[in-house]
Amino acid sequence: MPSAIIEEPQKECAQKLYDAFHNFGWIYLKDFGISAEEIDEMFAWSKKYFDRPIEAKMKEKVVSTFIAQGYTADGAESSLKGAVSHKECYEHSRFVNNNCPPPRELDGFKEFVDGFYTAGLSTPLRVTQTNANQKCFELCKHVLKALAIIEGNMDPEYFAEPMKNANPQLRLLHYMGIQRKTLEAEGHWRINPHCDYGLCTILFQDAVGGLEVDPDHSGKFLPVTPVRGTCVINVADLLQRLSNNRLKSTRHRVTLPQMTEEQKRTLGPDDYLPPRYSTAFFVHPAPSHTVAPILLPGEPPSEYEPVNAGEWREGVTRRNYTGAHLTNKIIKDEGKPLHSQVKAL
Ligand SMILES: O=C(O)CCC(=O)C(=O)O
Ligand SMILES: [Fe+2]
């Protein structure tokens, strides 16, 4: 039973958020404390990171599915057999970042991306300035609290403990400039249709477009048109399991943006689409946390078994990186489970 008294305005806001997640699976959020300029800064850092030579980035590639941290080259990760996702990305972790470019490579980058996690920690890790990226971790905690207030009569503080040692994953994405005909070919995407596999995802996109969602899993994808100064939040697999399908994991993909004939004519030489930048913040609970479905009174047993969050995450990461369909098997699986490396905060 809820252990705290929730004020009406807070409850009303939580209800709106919950209804949007329940009915659509994803939302746009505005006025959430991160300005459009701060989001621009995020993409400016991304651009600096990806503009470096491929040899430098490959030295920092992801080498373990337990600590999926570092660089992933074009084509090295795909969650769909037979699909090619034309993107490169950089994953940053809250705790272990051995594959982060050193200051001599990219001065200031580590401090910037580290900052996604540091707000709100009551330890020496806490920093006094508050910038956009620190607010991401705070934002995800607020969103989860709002959902807990409404969902299945949960304790509003339900997520406080699993988020304390949580290791959400920050992912900077760069979709290289690409010919239109490549993306029009069967099985080619900027990112193939998939569901995220944490609790939920906070996503920032630039103005290029191409993100689409299929919340009903019916194959009918709708464009998520970029709106400056907003972020998009979508439900992911663990929240679907936890809520016993009351919240549905949102299927999504990135492909050709919707374009008028005029826009197609002005694409430039050889029909190249401009590059696209986005940043995802995948909200995962602490690896030791068990995610078990919450049943409403009288509900029949769930189709979902309880899962350990760390094993779940590692299992999906392994599938995405080492599927037989991928030629670039970069994972050596030599890492130790993350929770055994995390020092007590
Ligand atoms: O780039 C985007 O807009 C979506 C990225 C995404 O879905 C992912 O990385 O899981
Ligand atoms: Fe995704």
Side-chain angles (χ1 to χ4, degrees), residues 47-308:
K47 182 163 177 5
K48 277 193 216 164
Y49 173 89
F50 291 113
D51 276 353
R52 295 175 310 134
I54 184 73
E55 295 76 21
K57 291 183 282 189
M58 287 304 277
K59 281 191 202 142
E60 300 153 5
K61 70 184 180 188
V62 172
V63 289
S64 160
T65 48
F66 289 102
I67 312 163
Q69 190 276 311
Y71 176 68
T72 299
D74 186 5
E77 186 229 9
S78 171
S79 53
L80 188 66
K81 196 169 178 343
V84 186
S85 293
H86 297 276
K87 62 165 172 52
E88 54 178 351
C89 43
Y90 171 73
E91 323 280 343
H92 198 76
S93 144
R94 185 173 165 206
F95 301 112
V96 182
N97 288 296
N98 298 334
N99 302 310
C100 183
R104 66 173 183 283
E105 280 271 339
L106 204 52
D107 198 17
F109 176 77
K110 184 162 189 307
E111 288 68 26
F112 183 79
V113 283
D114 269 347
F116 277 83
Y117 304 99
T118 41
L121 294 179
S122 55
T123 72
L125 275 176
R126 186 182 187 127
V127 292
T128 44
Q129 92 247 38
T130 51
N131 57 29
N133 39 29
Q134 295 165 23
K135 294 173 195 164
C136 266
F137 195 39
E138 285 306 291
L139 176 60
C140 77
K141 288 191 268 185
H142 283 297
V143 169
L144 289 172
K145 182 168 179 177
L147 295 179
I149 287 172
I150 308 298
E151 168 55 45
N153 219 12
M154 278 161 84
D155 180 346
E157 296 306 327
Y158 178 88
F159 290 106
E161 193 54 36
M163 289 316 288
K164 218 196 260 165
N165 283 332
N167 185 25
Q169 183 167 356
L170 172 76
R171 169 185 263 195
L172 307 181
L173 291 117
H174 174 218
Y175 302 88
M176 297 70 66
I178 190 166
Q179 274 190 305
R180 184 157 69 94
K181 67 174 182 217
T182 307
L183 284 187
E184 282 168 351
E186 179 81 21
H188 288 258
W189 311 94
R190 277 194 145 166
I191 192 165
N192 61 258
H194 67 282
C195 292
D196 297 338
Y197 49 99
L199 289 165
C200 62
T201 304
I202 304 175
L203 186 83
F204 303 89
Q205 55 171 335
D206 69 10
V208 171
L211 174 65
E212 297 180 342
V213 293
D214 168 24
D216 313 327
H217 299 208
S218 64
K220 199 167 163 283
F221 281 87
L222 307 166
V224 181
T225 310
V227 179
R228 186 164 163 74
T230 65
C231 69
V232 170
I233 306 184
N234 62 270
V235 174
D237 293 348
L238 285 182
L239 210 46
Q240 174 168 328
R241 296 179 78 96
L242 185 81
S243 68
N244 201 25
N245 289 336
R246 289 182 290 280
L247 298 174
K248 189 124 197 218
S249 191
T250 314
R251 216 164 152 237
H252 54 287
R253 66 185 186 191
V254 181
T255 182
L256 276 176
Q258 305 226 320
M259 277 183 295
T260 60
E261 287 308 312
E262 174 58 20
Q263 282 169 324
K264 284 183 194 165
R265 269 196 299 279
T266 54
L267 272 182
D270 303 323
D271 259 2
Y272 263 84
L273 288 171
R276 176 176 184 271
Y277 292 90
S278 65
T279 300
F281 193 73
F282 301 112
V283 180
H284 289 271
S288 57
H289 186 65
T290 301
V291 177
I294 294 176
L295 299 181
L296 296 182
E299 236 185 321
S302 173
E303 63 182 294
Y304 300 121
E305 294 285 320
V307 289
N308 166 269

Side-chain angles (χ1 to χ4, degrees), residues 320-337:
N320 291 354
Y321 274 94
T322 57
H325 53 294
L326 293 174
T327 50
N328 186 354
K329 295 187 179 180
I330 56 171
I331 301 294
K332 289 193 247 132
D333 287 329
E334 59 195 11
K336 295 200 186 84

